[in-house]
Amino acid sequence: MKRRAGEREKELKKKRLLEELGENRLPYMTPADDDFHQLWKTKYSKLIFRKSETVPEELHQMVQKGFLTLREHDCFFQDLVRIKGKDFLTPVSRILIGNPGCTYKYLNTRLFTVPWPTEGYDIKYCSPQIHDACKALIRLNDYLHIEAVKTLQGQNLCETKEIKDTTVIDREQSFATSLTERGSVSKDQSGVCVPEDDSISLKNRTSYNLTLLNYMDPLQMLYLKQEPYFGMGNMAVSWHHDENLVERSTVAVYSYSCEDSGVGESNEQELKGRDPAVWHVGLKVAWDIETPGLAIPLHQGDFYLMLDDLNMTHQHCVLAGLSPRFSSTHRVADCSRGTLEYIFGQCELALQNLQTDSDSMALSLKSLEAAVVKQVEEIHNEVEFEWLRQFWFQGKRYLKCTDWWLKPMAKLEEFWRKMEIMTSLVLSEVRKEQQIEEQRNETISCFLLVLKERQRLRKEWTVRCQSDAAESLPEDQKPECHPFWTDDDEYELEDTDSNGYSVYSNCLPSLAAPEA
């Protein structure tokens, strides 16, 4: 509900902004404009740009080879995302690579990391080439982490000097010199000492735990959205804030456009200084019509950092060029509710309320207290709709790279089946006449809402799996409506429907909430 309210608020802001603009367009600047660097310094100072020459050539080669390997093995996928109650295929194809057991959620879609090589984990890749590609990306991840720490240390030092000396030094005489100077600043200040608390904060805000890789060939797209506020041209990714991140954490983006692909300069009319043949990152102050936007060209091997609260106060988009492009977007994802360790812990908490009779092996519940029942059923929903159905909705895509997720998903499904039985046991108990009326009513009151939500979501996921968009996907990427019950399951419920779902929903009308 909170997310839906946020989406409605954003839509209203967008509508009001477009109405205020009418047929007009807001101004924006590129490096060709005289005031570009002053605007960058005053309004976009937390965007740090590095040209490809600042990155070691060996790393360029490893990473770019990795991109091409993943494309050759068909490891980039269009996501079927949920926006305002409708499913859409993303124009950009993606794959998530990162720490084993981590996930990243955006637009109501939970992506699961293809784990990069990690000590202590047995990860079997489908080919040595995919292993090497993932290894290259963790190397890039380490490099970008170090660069982000040095940059933040440098900014802290500069801020201290400015306060002390009340002197502001203009380091951005030109686009090229600003990049050179920024590179030298980070090298000179790599040994800056900072307080221990600040060091911990820097580490927490720059320790990237995953990267979301993107790929798009614009010439293969039938249609691309036009940028609506500034008239910047074709967008590969619309204006947005990155979701699901640790607060004030840095985002690092490495860009690789295939500029040797034979695509020449565009013959289209120039879009106010932006060459439509070249990829750009666009930035604007969120919901602001006074501040001009920025469009910064991205070439092979360039990278940029979005520091501190830039992702919260500003929005960014990706403006398509004409050549195919890869990017690796390194993030400190908020994994407080998005790791296997977390969800297994939730399952163990729920199953503490299930006991087995040592003689008959019959299953029963330890407690029927309303708070306990509610907690278990909410965890039941979380396992089913935030994990199992999210994973299988993406078909067998992850098997293109590794089978690593199959075992933990099987374990989660086993937990889910036990929780299904726990739901049936609650229903059996609340039907019994010997139940104390007050306790029974209290249990039903909190239980009913969770069950109704479960039934609603099951219907929604079933419809999503059968949608036209889902059917249009390649066979190995088509959604699977999973989990469900079969005749071969070790545990048995009294009844299941034609979809293999437990039919305790038939009891819902008779479990009306008691009158106040």
Side-chain angles (χ1 to χ4, degrees), residues 131-192:
H131 166 274
D132 292 346
C134 292
K135 186 177 179 181
L137 287 159
I138 198 171
R139 283 277 303 276
L140 177 62
N141 197 69
D142 292 342
Y143 173 81
L144 293 173
H145 162 66
I146 292 168
E147 289 300 305
V149 169
K150 290 193 295 188
T151 302
L152 285 168
Q153 288 176 340
Q155 283 218 338
N156 290 342
L157 183 68
C158 290
E159 287 170 10
T160 303
K161 283 185 175 180
E162 285 179 4
I163 293 169
K164 185 177 179 180
D165 303 335
T166 63
T167 302
V168 178
I169 301 171
D170 185 0
R171 297 190 303 276
E172 299 183 23
Q173 296 298 322
S174 69
F175 188 55
T177 57
S178 74
L179 298 175
T180 305
E181 288 171 2
R182 285 169 189 256
S184 63
V185 165
S186 68
K187 289 176 185 175
D188 293 344
Q189 293 162 358
S190 60
V192 170

Side-chain angles (χ1 to χ4, degrees), residues 112 340 343-344 347 351 383 387-389 391-392 399 403-419 482-485 489-491:
F112 298 76
L340 279 176
I343 198 62
F344 283 157
C347 291
L351 294 175
V383 170
W387 289 82
L388 291 171
R389 294 199 182 279
F391 182 80
W392 292 109
L399 294 178
D403 63 359
W404 190 86
W405 278 97
L406 294 185
K407 284 184 179 178
M409 282 296 140
K411 186 176 178 181
L412 269 183
E413 188 167 333
E414 183 65 15
F415 288 147
W416 171 81
R417 293 178 189 283
K418 289 182 178 180
M419 283 185 263
H482 198 85
F484 53 83
W485 286 88
D489 284 311
E490 177 183 353
Y491 307 105

Side-chain angles (χ1 to χ4, degrees), residues 428-477:
S428 297
E429 290 296 324
V430 296
R431 288 194 191 112
K432 292 179 181 178
E433 292 183 3
Q434 60 265 39
Q435 276 284 314
I436 300 170
E437 188 69 20
E438 185 179 349
Q439 182 185 12
R440 179 178 184 272
N441 289 344
E442 187 181 0
T443 302
I444 290 171
S445 293
C446 68
F447 187 51
L448 193 61
L449 288 175
V450 184
L451 285 192
K452 284 184 173 179
E453 178 69 0
R454 187 176 306 158
Q455 295 305 104
R456 184 190 70 78
L457 288 170
R458 283 181 176 176
K459 289 177 183 176
E460 180 180 294
W461 280 96
T462 300
V463 170
R464 291 188 69 192
C465 287
Q466 298 167 356
S467 70
D468 291 341
E471 289 297 322
S472 71
L473 290 167
E475 201 62 37
D476 59 352
Q477 297 175 40

Side-chain angles (χ1 to χ4, degrees), residues 285-340:
V285 178
W287 314 117
D288 177 300
I289 62 169
E290 302 297 329
T291 308
L294 285 188
I296 302 173
L298 299 170
H299 295 291
Q300 213 173 66
D302 292 344
F303 77 89
Y304 58 90
L305 305 171
M306 294 189 288
L307 304 179
D308 195 47
D309 62 350
L310 182 73
N311 184 55
M312 296 185 285
T313 59
H314 293 62
Q315 292 174 301
H316 57 282
C317 71
V318 181
L319 303 164
L322 294 181
S323 59
R325 174 183 177 263
F326 299 90
S327 68
S328 184
T329 63
H330 298 250
R331 303 152 191 255
V332 188
D334 178 4
C335 288
S336 56
R337 299 171 67 91
T339 63
L340 279 176

Side-chain angles (χ1 to χ4, degrees), residues 355-415:
Q355 60 188 355
T356 306
D357 186 274
S358 57
D359 296 326
S360 67
M361 301 303 290
L363 297 171
S364 63
L365 299 175
K366 292 179 183 177
S367 171
L368 278 172
E369 288 184 24
V372 174
V373 170
K374 182 173 183 287
Q375 181 184 52
V376 170
E377 294 305 325
E378 287 176 343
I379 292 172
H380 184 164
N381 280 6
E382 184 176 18
V383 170
E384 180 170 341
F385 303 112
E386 287 296 326
W387 289 82
L388 291 171
R389 294 199 182 279
Q390 288 276 4
F391 182 80
W392 292 109
F393 187 70
Q394 295 166 50
K396 297 182 174 67
R397 62 157 70 174
Y398 295 103
L399 294 178
K400 293 265 189 179
C401 300
T402 177
D403 63 359
W404 190 86
W405 278 97
L406 294 185
K407 284 184 179 178
M409 282 296 140
K411 186 176 178 181
L412 269 183
E413 188 167 333
E414 183 65 15
F415 288 147

